[in-house]
Amino acid sequence: MFAPSGLTATVDEGTTVLDAARAVRVDLDSTCGGRGICGRCQVVPTTGSFPKWQIESAADSVSAWTSVEEEYTGRRPIADGQRLGCAALVCGDVVVEVPAASQVHRQVVRKSVDLGNLQIDPIVRLHYVELPTAEFGAELGGLQEQIIESLTRDFDVTPSAIDPRILPLLAPAAKRGGNAITVAVRNADTISAVYPGYVDRAVGIAVDVGSTTIAAHLVDLATGEILATNGIMNPQIRFGDDLMSRVSYVMMNPGGEVELTRAIRTALDTMIGELVDEAGLDRDAVVEMTIVGNPIMHHIVLGIDPTPLGQAPFTLATNAAVTTRASDLALDARFCDVYLLPCIAGHVGADMAGAILAEGPHRHDELQLLVDVGTNAEIVFGNASHVLAASSPTGPAFEGAQISAGMRATAGAIERVRIDRTTYEPSVRVIGAEVWSDDPDFASQSSKLDISGICGSGIIEVIGEMFLAGLIDVDGTIRSDGPGKSDRIFADGRTFSYRLFGESANPAENINITQDDVRAIQLAKAALRAGIDLLCEHNGTTDPNAIGSVRLAGAFGAHIDPLYAKVLGLVPDVPVAQVASVGNAAGAGAVRALLSAQQRREIESTARRVDKIETATEPRFQELFVNAMGFPHTTMATPNLATETVLPVAQERSASTGSRQRTGRRRPR
């Protein structure tokens, strides 16, 4: 049995505690997919009759200390009395306590939707029909024929078909409604739902299935009004924090794809119920759903094995839009059809198709760079004449993984950072507190927060600030002397680290930025920037000023400060006023496709015309990657950035030339 959930699992002897937890959906974290790397799955085995400090009493119920645990060197030490859930094997009846630190906490979901000027072109319309009273001897025809006759007469709509699932419901609905019913007609061709009496609201749900979070909007299909919004953690996280970990889980565990599909479908079904409850509706009101997601999420939702997407040549089962019934996806919405937007390439999915639909690079003459920043960055560049797309393997560093004090964007995570240029003292903002750490009210506002790490947006800002303060040079090296010999710079093995938060004499108890953290961000941002530069080269664009706009999309991209994106060199040296965070563009595209048949036709046509560039096979990618390692860039000049912030002295001298120079220091004034 697992505590505190009370869930019980019956498993074979030799099953890992983590696999037992997964079998009954216990809230046990694992970001590495059970490889004994992350240390997040720590548990406390006990007999249940003894307090956890008497762990030896459960020694016969779990395997002895394993080689995986013996060799574990992760950032989260194995606490006294605890075991790694992915290593400890069940040997008998045991109660397993899952500490709070090992549970998957609900993330702060901040996805929103911006539709701009959208003209609604409904896929599904409601029509109220009053049926004639049946009399003996009258030749009225069947109910289906009567309904079609009424629709033709009253609405100039002549459906050619009726969903077979609806036929058994016609007579009961007519009886309950006193011969008055409301029918839903999809695409002016198929009767897809029937309700007793008069019903004036049909709703749809637009879903963005991200690898970390799922965001959904309940929308009035007639008005476009957002009636309810819901966001949850993707439950697949327990199978691996990033996409490749989940694909690896499927490869290593026969039937693993079924588990992943079941997890995401269960979450979607739960969200449907919560959304309609919030709006005071029932599930029968839901007649349409759109889904966007990266190719792996797209395939898993459909029940398609994702493993071909985990290795070259990254073959999609289909890149076309898919329409299916909600019931075929095990979703309890009997009148609902589900439309999945088209994928573009093996690692450029329906989420980027949604972003294209929302931001519209294909609708304008000016060049637009659209970037969905995540574990696998998706990049689109072009205009009405030519649109290119690529993906770049940035890894999970931008989301806090692979960072020594990295964490998801939960309460207590550091999300913004400023460093004083004279004293080199930091000030931080944390999720859950409204003020900066140097504000007198910070202590009271943060007293109930566990400030234990830094999330992705905070990582971007702290490294940007360290560079601007001269604490990091162009090559990304944390300077050994530290400007002004700041005591926040300290020796950490053969390199140096910066103490960001905490006052403990033991460095391990503080939140530090290490040299490895900087390198992880350099590798991630270089991969992203190399992909961008590759698309620019393919388009013949060498001058950043020729780019009309840069849009940073996605749950993470939405919270990147455009200036720091430029300081780190994530994007080209476009004037900062032309760089914008556009929020959940993929979700906005899903809502557009929910409300408009024309938008569906547009994205299907556009996706077919996108020129796909495969970074893995491009000979120039490696050179561009190396050149992009420096801050902001090793070889490209940044004259616009030099006018937008105060750069370190050496960087100011090289901003106009693009030459590689180590960062100099300013003397305090």
Side-chain angles (χ1 to χ4, degrees):
M1 186 179 76
F2 289 91
S5 67
L7 294 171
T8 300
T10 301
V11 297
D12 293 334
E13 184 176 342
T15 302
T16 67
V17 172
L18 179 60
D19 284 339
R22 286 170 170 164
V24 291
R25 299 185 179 89
V26 170
D27 188 24
L28 178 58
D29 202 357
S30 174
T31 62
C32 66
R35 294 182 176 82
I37 298 172
C38 67
R40 294 175 182 266
C41 62
Q42 294 184 41
V43 294
V44 181
T46 174
T47 63
S49 303
F50 300 89
K52 63 183 180 181
W53 50 267
Q54 288 182 311
I55 192 64
E56 292 301 322
S57 61
D60 294 335
S61 298
V62 294
S63 61
W65 196 259
T66 65
S67 60
V68 171
E69 292 164 306
E70 189 68 38
E71 297 169 4
Y72 171 75
T73 58
R75 188 180 71 84
R76 293 170 175 79
I78 301 176
D80 290 343
Q82 297 190 7
R83 300 288 302 275
L84 291 182
C86 61
L89 305 178
V90 177
C91 299
D93 293 340
V94 63
V95 175
V96 177
E97 179 185 341
V98 181
S102 298
Q103 297 172 21
V104 180
H105 301 293
R106 178 178 293 266
Q107 187 172 19
V108 178
V109 178
R110 297 182 282 188
K111 294 186 173 184
S112 60
V113 60
D114 179 10
L115 298 180
N117 297 320
L118 173 67
Q119 183 175 357
I120 296 175
D121 179 18
I123 289 89
V124 178
R125 295 176 183 266
L126 294 179
H127 301 289
Y128 176 67
V129 174
E130 292 183 344
L131 300 169
T133 302
E135 296 181 2
F136 184 75
E139 296 184 4
L140 296 176
L143 288 176
Q144 176 180 342
E145 289 72 27
Q146 293 179 46
I147 293 169
I148 292 175
E149 181 180 345
S150 178
L151 290 172
T152 302
R153 181 183 65 245
D154 298 336
F155 301 102
D156 195 25
V157 174
T158 306
S160 63
I162 184 170
D163 189 322
R165 297 170 297 175
I166 306 304
L167 282 172
L169 307 177
L170 293 179
K175 183 177 181 179
R176 286 181 56 197
N179 270 17
I181 60 174
T182 300
V183 296
V185 180
R186 175 171 287 108
N187 296 321
D189 183 68
T190 303
I191 298 172
S192 57
V194 60
Y195 308 94
Y198 176 69
V199 174
D200 64 353
R201 172 170 277 175
V203 298
I205 299 176
V207 186
D208 175 14
V209 181
S211 57
T212 304
T213 60
I214 308 172
H217 305 285
L218 184 73
V219 186
D220 187 310
L221 295 178
T223 66
E225 178 187 359
I226 306 294
L227 303 175
T229 296
N230 196 349
I232 63 171
M233 292 290 293
N234 188 327
Q236 293 177 346
I237 284 177
R238 66 178 181 266
F239 300 101
D241 206 38
D242 59 82
L243 295 174
M244 288 302 104
S245 292
R246 296 175 206 177
V247 173
S248 296
Y249 178 82
V250 174
M251 291 177 173
M252 295 185 296
N253 297 272
E257 70 278 9
V258 176
E259 295 180 74
L260 289 169
T261 295
R262 184 186 301 117
I264 194 64
R265 289 179 176 178
T266 299
L268 291 174
D269 190 63
T270 299
M271 293 180 81
I272 292 172
E274 292 176 350
L275 286 166
V276 296
D277 286 348
E278 183 179 341
L281 302 170
D282 60 43
R283 289 174 180 258
D284 280 353
V286 181
V287 296
E288 197 73 12
M289 178 183 288
T290 54
I291 296 178
V292 297
N294 60 63
I296 291 174
M297 291 298 100
H298 171 278
H299 279 39
I300 290 174
V301 167
L302 289 173
I304 301 171
D305 181 5
T307 54
L309 297 173
Q311 53 196 346
F314 313 110
T315 304
L316 291 161
T318 179
N319 59 357
V322 175
T323 300
T324 187
R325 295 174 176 176
S327 58
D328 292 337
L329 303 181
L331 304 178
D332 181 12
R334 60 178 177 168
F335 296 145
C336 180
D337 273 13
V338 180
Y339 175 85
L340 291 90
L341 276 68
C343 289
I344 295 172
H347 281 298
V348 184
D351 51 352
M352 185 50 81
I356 291 173
L357 192 58
E359 297 304 315
H362 58 291
R363 302 188 193 111
H364 306 289
D365 291 332
E366 74 170 18
L367 288 169
Q368 181 188 110
L369 174 62
L370 175 60
V371 184
D372 189 336
V373 186
T375 55
N376 183 70
E378 296 171 303
I379 310 161
V380 167
F381 182 61
N383 58 12
S385 299
H386 187 205
V387 178
L388 303 99
S391 65
S392 212
T394 52
F398 286 146
E399 296 184 351
Q402 298 180 344
I403 303 300
S404 61
M407 63 184 292
R408 300 190 187 106
T410 59
I414 295 173
E415 63 173 345
R416 300 188 67 189
V417 177
R418 296 293 181 269
I419 295 176
D420 187 277
R421 302 297 188 267
T422 302
T423 65
Y424 310 107
E425 289 295 302
S427 177
V428 303
R429 279 278 298 271
V430 300
I431 297 175
E434 298 297 324
V435 298
W436 290 82
S437 60
D438 54 1
D439 188 288
D441 292 333
F442 179 78
S444 60
Q445 289 195 17
S446 63
S447 60
K448 296 182 179 180
L449 298 174
D450 178 17
I451 305 176
S452 57
I454 184 167
C455 66
S457 60
I459 283 289
I460 296 297
E461 291 202 5
V462 70
I463 293 180
E465 282 285 297
M466 290 175 69
F467 171 73
L468 292 174
L471 298 171
I472 294 176
D473 65 19
V474 173
D475 294 328
T477 303
I478 298 178
R479 301 188 48 165
S480 59
D481 54 355
K485 299 186 183 297
S486 170
D487 61 4
R488 287 189 172 270
I489 299 289
F490 64 93
D492 189 2
R494 300 179 63 182
T495 59
F496 293 83
S497 296
Y498 175 77
R499 176 170 55 86
L500 175 63
F501 189 85
E503 302 295 336
S504 173
N506 180 3
E509 296 178 1
N510 299 320
I511 297 174
N512 305 311
I513 303 301
T514 70
Q515 185 65 68
D516 285 344
D517 296 338
V518 179
R519 295 296 183 225
I521 292 299
Q522 280 184 281
L523 292 170
K525 78 100 176 179
L528 171 60
R529 181 60 183 274
I532 292 172
D533 292 343
L534 189 63
L535 292 191
C536 289
E537 286 190 357
H538 273 270
N539 196 62
T541 304
T542 58
D543 181 5
N545 291 309
I547 301 173
S549 65
V550 177
R551 314 285 177 90
L552 302 175
F556 172 60
H559 298 282
I560 300 175
D561 186 310
L563 178 63
Y564 290 99
K566 289 190 59 180
V567 169
L568 265 64
L570 271 69
V571 297
D573 189 40
V574 174
V576 72
Q578 295 167 215
V579 183
S581 295
V582 295
N584 184 19
V591 175
R592 283 176 165 267
L594 183 70
L595 293 171
S596 171
Q598 182 278 328
Q599 291 283 288
R600 295 186 182 186
R601 293 189 295 271
E602 178 180 332
I603 192 54
E604 289 174 18
S605 172
T606 301
R608 287 192 295 267
R609 294 187 289 107
V610 172
D611 189 6
K612 297 91 174 173
I613 306 300
E614 179 53 66
T615 57
T617 60
E618 282 285 332
R620 280 278 292 157
F621 182 81
Q622 189 62 32
E623 181 180 349
L624 293 172
F625 174 84
V626 172
N627 290 342
M629 284 288 288
F631 294 132
H633 197 277
T634 304
T635 60
M636 290 189 181
T638 55
N640 287 319
L641 180 62
T643 68
E644 296 159 351
T645 188
V646 179
L647 295 172
V649 175
Q651 182 61 24
E652 285 179 344
R653 290 196 298 267
S654 63
S656 62
T657 64
S659 60
R660 179 173 182 162
Q661 299 186 39
R662 297 183 67 84
T663 306
R665 289 177 293 169
R666 291 185 177 277
R667 292 184 180 275
R669 295 175 179 171

